[in-house]
Amino acid sequence: MFAYHVITDRPIQLGEQIIFDETHHNGVYKRVYDKIEIVNDIYNNPAKYKQDSLEYPVKVALRELALEEVRLEKYPAYPSRMSCLYVSKTFKEADNWAKYFAEIGRPTYSIAKVETEGNCFVGDAAKCFDGSLDKQENLRLANVYWENKHNDITNPPVCEMLVDGTITVIEIIKEINANME
């Protein structure tokens, strides 16, 4: 399968192969596990915390851990959000993501066409949520994400595509070079 990937965080070269599986993780994994101690403390001692005082990276970790727990239990054939490449079906979708990443200040190098050999899940980023102190609510919302049912008319979907396995960069389509340090 062919897809388009917005290259962020570090440059990727033409011909480069990327592998995502149980032992090869992405940046989401690192960011989540950097917060694992506080997540465990939140679930073990929820009275110590207030929802409105949680830092955004902690909310993300709460969400991603719930998403992974539900994926492993109910949807194990889908790629893990912590061990995948986020891609787009079309160049236009990738270009929109690239503009968004550049606008929020994320280092954005280029858009590449990639060939993927692995699992794929086409989901809706609008169904991502800020994790909360309530683990059961996080798991409920994670299930909504993976079920991937249609949104109502007032909540249009934001397509996100997750792929794992072996991914090869076959073409650099557009140079962006925004927010380079």
Side-chain angles (χ1 to χ4, degrees):
M1 179 181 79
F2 297 97
Y4 299 88
H5 173 62
V6 181
I7 299 171
T8 61
D9 299 332
R10 69 168 186 85
I12 297 174
Q13 305 303 315
L14 181 65
E16 188 171 337
Q17 281 198 328
I18 307 158
I19 297 173
F20 287 112
D21 58 22
E22 298 82 25
T23 59
H24 296 87
H25 304 104
N26 61 22
V28 175
Y29 178 89
K30 181 184 179 341
R31 290 187 292 274
V32 166
Y33 280 92
D34 282 349
K35 301 297 180 187
I36 195 68
E37 286 184 29
I38 191 166
V39 167
N40 289 334
D41 194 49
I42 286 168
Y43 286 150
N44 291 326
N45 304 293
K48 284 176 48 178
Y49 297 91
K50 293 192 184 321
Q51 181 67 35
D52 59 356
S53 66
L54 293 178
E55 295 176 351
Y56 181 71
V58 173
K59 292 177 185 180
V60 169
L62 290 162
R63 173 189 71 214
E64 294 300 332
L65 289 165
L67 285 162
E68 185 64 3
E69 185 173 333
V70 169
R71 183 194 72 82
L72 286 169
E73 180 182 318
K74 295 184 176 181
Y75 307 96
Y78 291 163
S80 168
R81 291 173 53 87
M82 293 189 281
S83 186
C84 74
L85 191 67
Y86 290 78
V87 298
S88 299
K89 288 191 251 186
T90 67
F91 171 77
K92 184 176 190 294
E93 285 175 2
D95 199 39
N96 288 339
W97 280 111
K99 289 173 186 166
Y100 170 74
F101 293 148
E103 285 174 10
I104 64 169
R106 188 171 179 178
T108 308
Y109 294 91
S110 56
I111 299 173
K113 185 175 184 180
V114 297
E115 183 176 15
T116 68
E117 297 175 24
N119 298 309
C120 175
F121 172 76
V122 179
D124 180 0
K127 290 185 176 130
C128 282
F129 56 94
D130 284 345
S132 74
L133 301 174
D134 183 343
K135 184 172 184 177
Q136 292 311 307
E137 179 65 3
N138 293 337
L139 293 171
R140 184 190 71 75
L141 292 170
N143 198 60
V144 168
Y145 173 85
W146 290 116
E147 282 178 337
N148 204 26
K149 293 180 180 173
H150 293 291
N151 296 4
D152 63 42
I153 197 157
T154 61
N155 189 18
V158 177
C159 183
E160 70 177 3
M161 191 168 159
L162 289 55
V163 295
D164 66 8
T166 302
I167 300 134
T168 305
V169 177
I170 60 171
E171 183 180 356
I172 304 294
I173 295 188
K174 180 178 180 181
E175 293 289 337
I176 298 168
N177 297 318
N179 306 310
M180 303 292 101
E181 294 174 14

